[in-house]
Amino acid sequence: MMRHLISAADLTRDEAVRILDTAEEMARVADRPIKKLPALRGRTVCNLFFEDSTRTRISFEAAEKRLSADVINFAAKGSSVSKGESLKDTAQTLEAMGVDAVVIRHGASGAPYRLATSGWIDAPVINAGDGTHQHPTQALLDAFTMRRRLVGRDAGIGQDLAGRRITLVGDVLHSRVARSNVDLLHTLGAEVTLVAPPTLVPVGVEAWPCEVSYDLDAVLPKSDAVMMLRVQRERMNAAFFPTEREYSRRYGLDGDRMARMPGHAIVMHPGPMVRGMEITAEVADSDRCTVIEQVANGVSIRMAVLYLLLGGNESDAPNPRTEEK
Amino acid sequence: MSKILIRGAKVLGGEAQDVLIDGETVAAVGTGLSAEGARVIEAGGQILLPGLVDLHTHLREPGREDSETVLTGTRAAASGGYTAVFAMANTFPVADTAGVVEQVYRLGKESGYCDVQPIGAVTVGLEGKKLAELGAMHDSAAGVTVFSDDGKCVDDAVIMRRALEYVKAFGGVVAQHAQEPRLTEGAQMNEGVVSAELGLGGWPAVAEESVIARDVLLAEHVGSRVHICHLSTAGSVEIVRWAKSRGIDVTAEVTPHHLLLTDEMVRSYNPVYKVNPPLRTERDVLALREALADGTIDIVATDHAPHPHEDKDCEWAAAAMGMVGLETALSVVQQTMVETGLLDWAQVADRMSFAPARIGRAQGHGRPVSAGEPANLTLVDPAYRGVVDPAGFASRSRNTPYEGRELPGRVTHTFLRGRATVVDGKLA
Ligand SMILES: [Zn+2]
């Protein structure tokens, strides 16, 4: 297993499958009356959040606590970009306090990589989202959700997503979720198509292991999963598209469009969902939409990543096979 | 003793000759010159060049003396073989009045290591709105001939036109930092495959090229001359080539780092590679080398941009843009241009001394190595191989991407009007 988790692109197929398999084991902990494992007892994990994200922080915190780790939450208010030294200063403070792992969320692309490679700190670094770069645990929880839905909970163990056709729709340009998912889904053998207006597709996308389409309706019938990306309303003022209405018409997912997807196909969203522009309430509330499962799966994935990176004691791990039978 | 005999130096890379310096001037160039009364420097076949001239240096004084001062910057320049540098105007306060440019000019004179020719701002406060007192800066003791808002682009087409027209009155030149501001909002690196992967804001080549295209046409329209700073893209080269073929009076520069480094280095997220304009692709690098070789790009200019350690020891987005360059420029040019067979040493002398002095109208610099000329000279050992160690830099800042990298060549001696400022590779 690697020392840090900075980018989904750093994972091999076997490493990724191992994380998904471990998460499947971790998921069973959530079904127990006492949702706790002793695996990280005595270890200290710091959630270092330079950018607000209550959802992601709570998800990591729940994962850490279920593994019995001691948790420090460090929220650095305001932008570190305006005061460049704070990342280094904070890292050195944490190093002095002897933390065993750092989960970092940062508004600047590359900040977790810098933290992991600068020598400021020795602990493993887990990227919880950096700028428009990567959000690898999000990609892992998405892949986990797809594997459970498209392959099966138990049938999925040891499996990847070979041959599955996944479509990501929306603001690819500003999306770390899209970048991470393209990398990981490709590693897992899926065929990925990005759908967006040309203004929201990054220059240089031709090097990515995926297809690009501007036509959602053409892609939907061939999709096993459709992941809607968040489109921020302020993009409208920056002339990425003319109006909210036009965006919604061309790239929003409503009931009619969902009906064009194959019967088994699922709808995903990294949340939080803004109903209306990118996804209608009808779609969001349908049982094909996996948003709530994605949240639950996020905890399992983060438990798996922390467990594997911190080398938790093997004997502390849950063993689904003996438990179930 | 004021006589120095440099024995057996390849002048501009030619046959070995002796060069006698008497006082501030070159007294004789020939073979078997008498060493009587002279200190002798055995050149042993090293290359003798006219003192290098940098048309694009940031000395940071006044205002950011923690990064560099005129004294430390000129010491760095001398170490790199320079005898004259043009100091950019983006200081605090901005060099947009006769008072500030005279101050910088005087500090250069007092340093004794290298002549400092201040560049005046084109617009007041580099704000791009109102022309600075270009004439007053020209008429001052500093005798400013080059005007630039470098660090910022003179974006307003009317202001650019007026500046180009106005400086015709006294033979000045406007040096443009070509960067369309709207196309580079939030930009952090070259826009392309690497920026898409790293999630860093893209800086498209067209943001540079569109401004250059506009400015050469403006220069043609008003019959003035324009100088384009730090070309970084293959497309910029094409535009300058076209403009020259059309007879437009345009000159252009390239930095050493744009001749060597690419945006692939940004994958390290190490801010030593963060520079403005950004590092581009291999294809751009090769086009820039070719253009410098065929004369489309006239000169090499360092864009020496010193920053203190704290401003680079942070995450990419927070880091300052720029790298130091005075002390490594000649080595990078040797590696990328001489050792690749694209330039010989006489052409290096042209690109790094004669031509920049001509563009900036630097008095007494960029002169032939011959009797009667000012003894501004640089002796280079091209056989030297060494690993760059910034700890030995004379610059106050160490923000170099070359730390630990082997670069060829070393300046062993620099002479400013007959006085050695560097002896055996060390500052005198
Ligand atoms: Zn510049």
Side-chain angles (χ1 to χ4, degrees), chain A residues 254-315:
Chain A
D254 58 12
D256 288 348
R257 282 213 164 101
M258 188 167 68
R260 271 175 240 161
M261 293 164 49
H264 67 273
I266 55 172
V267 175
M268 307 180 70
H269 195 292
M273 277 188 293
V274 183
R275 291 164 193 236
M277 183 161 75
E278 70 220 19
I279 194 164
T280 61
E282 182 190 0
V283 176
D285 297 332
S286 88
D287 58 6
R288 302 172 76 168
C289 183
T290 62
V291 172
I292 303 301
E293 285 163 61
Q294 285 171 269
V295 173
N297 292 342
V299 177
S300 305
I301 279 292
R302 284 158 186 142
M303 286 173 77
V305 167
L306 285 159
Y307 176 79
L308 291 169
L309 276 189
L310 283 171
N313 196 331
E314 285 295 334
S315 63

Side-chain angles (χ1 to χ4, degrees), chain B residues 108-124:
Chain B
K109 280 270 173 270
E110 288 166 2
S111 85
Y113 281 93
C114 182
D115 285 349
V116 175
Q117 187 57 56
I119 292 175
V122 177
T123 65
V124 174

Side-chain angles (χ1 to χ4, degrees), chain B residues 56 58 88 148-152 176-179 229-230 253 276-277 303:
Chain B
H56 192 146
H58 295 274
M88 274 299 172
S148 181
D149 277 1
D150 182 61
K152 287 187 175 174
Q176 176 69 294
H177 171 121
Q179 179 188 354
C229 295
H230 39 54
E253 69 189 36
N276 177 348
D303 196 6

Side-chain angles (χ1 to χ4, degrees), chain A residues 48 50 74 76 80 83-97 106 115 118 120-121, chain B residues 309-310 313-315:
Chain A
L48 182 55
F50 288 87
F74 185 106
S80 77
K83 190 179 174 300
E85 268 190 275
S86 59
L87 176 62
K88 183 187 179 187
D89 291 346
T90 310
Q92 289 179 333
T93 304
L94 296 176
E95 177 78 348
M97 287 161 57
H106 202 290
L115 186 65
S118 59
W120 300 330
I121 192 166
Chain B
H309 183 65
E310 315 82 81
D313 190 29
C314 54
E315 57 274 26

